[in-house]
Amino acid sequence: MYHPFDMQRRRILVTGAASGIGRATCVALSQLSARVSAVDIDAEGLAETIRQLAGDGHSQIQLDLTQLDQIAPAVTKDAAANGSLSGAVHAAGLPCVEPIRLLEPDAYRRALIVNTEAALSLARAFQRKDVCAPDGGAIVFVSSVMGLVGSPGSAAYSMSKAALHGLARGLALELAPRRIRVNCVAPGFVNTPMFARLAGFWDPQERARVEADHPLGIGSPEDIANAICFLLSSAGRWITGCILPVDGGYTAK
Amino acid sequence: MSSLYSTLTKLLEVDAVQPDDKLRDFDNWDSLTVLSLCAHVDASCGVSLSAQDLQAVNTVDDLERLIASRKAA
């Protein structure tokens, strides 16, 4: 029976796969019968993600995404060994909460490389004819509501995430003739290890304020994973160049 | 703790800080400074402090002591 979200016979590569949104995306994709190529620097976290996946045929790639020149060789090698890719998700990301007086280049460069430049390198690797499936595919960048709106201390992080929106729109038009769609999901605050670390610094008033900013409450990684699966699946086949907020109403105000 | 002093001088935009300086006396002492300081202490010392913890801190020396006691715990 046809199901528009079915991912059978599709291999999807996911960065940031060892925790949070990346891991939840891997799990959701496997439950939709996709095969997953899970990428992260954290070998232990990757192994745990692989243990949580449904089905078989998954692969894991331990990779430091700050080494941009290592991304294409790793992706190409995975495709040669395990089959061409129908999708790629860039969920890897680093936080950067600094007032402008601390934003020396070294303070934000790592976040910019992992959040933004690695996404471009991943897209370059994915669109190669020896990597992408012949009938095309879909790329999803995980950006952030901070790429759509601002917040004190978010300037560098917002810059890194807003750049993904420009990247997605440009690539969407460039790659449409090859049936490769490119979209972003822009999550609000989601219960991930990155959020837990940040929330640990807040006082109860700040926590209450952030929660109140999300009319539907703080999200779960699965909420973002479901939206990513939608954009990757046939159900999203006419969607490209889209920035989809998945934020419990954060940007509705 | 030299990285703490270095971070504080940048965050507070002063040439130097002294142990008995009162944190709240600095013009730049605001909620974003507190958040950023917490993140730096976490990254450089492996000690997780919250904004609430810092409300109980008066001087730079108090802050050093708090970090040291959390490290020892």
Side-chain angles (χ1 to χ4, degrees), chain A residues 189 195-212 218, chain B residues 24 29-36 38-39 48-56:
Chain A
F189 285 82
F195 173 75
R197 184 167 169 264
L198 185 64
F201 304 144
W202 294 337
D203 58 28
Q205 292 84 357
E206 178 67 6
R207 170 85 194 199
R209 192 188 61 75
V210 170
E211 285 185 0
I218 302 294
Chain B
R24 276 169 206 77
W29 188 256
D30 58 15
S31 59
L32 181 55
T33 299
V34 169
L35 182 63
S36 184
C38 289
S48 187
L49 298 179
S50 70
Q52 220 169 358
D53 293 326
L54 289 188
Q55 272 173 15

Side-chain angles (χ1 to χ4, degrees), chain B residues 12-38:
Chain B
L12 301 170
E13 290 183 301
V14 293
D15 292 333
V17 292
Q18 303 302 326
D20 55 355
D21 285 344
K22 289 182 179 165
L23 294 168
R24 276 169 206 77
D25 286 350
F26 290 100
D27 292 340
N28 281 352
W29 188 256
D30 58 15
S31 59
L32 181 55
T33 299
V34 169
L35 182 63
S36 184
L37 180 59
C38 289

Side-chain angles (χ1 to χ4, degrees), chain A residues 36 63 106 109 131 153 165 167 169 182 189 193 219:
Chain A
V36 172
L63 187 61
D106 283 348
R109 188 157 283 150
V131 172
H165 300 165
L167 185 60
R169 291 186 178 115
V182 189
F189 285 82

Side-chain angles (χ1 to χ4, degrees), chain A residues 7-13 34-37 57 59 74-88 125-138 178 180:
Chain A
M7 294 278 185
Q8 219 159 32
R9 289 180 296 281
R10 293 190 201 185
R11 173 169 287 278
I12 313 288
L13 184 143
R35 288 181 172 167
V36 172
S37 298
S59 64
V75 171
T76 308
K77 188 177 163 194
D78 181 69
N82 299 302
S84 59
L85 292 173
S86 295
F126 175 80
Q127 60 82 44
R128 287 171 56 126
K129 290 191 169 66
D130 55 349
V131 172
C132 184
D135 57 345
R178 294 182 48 206
I180 296 174

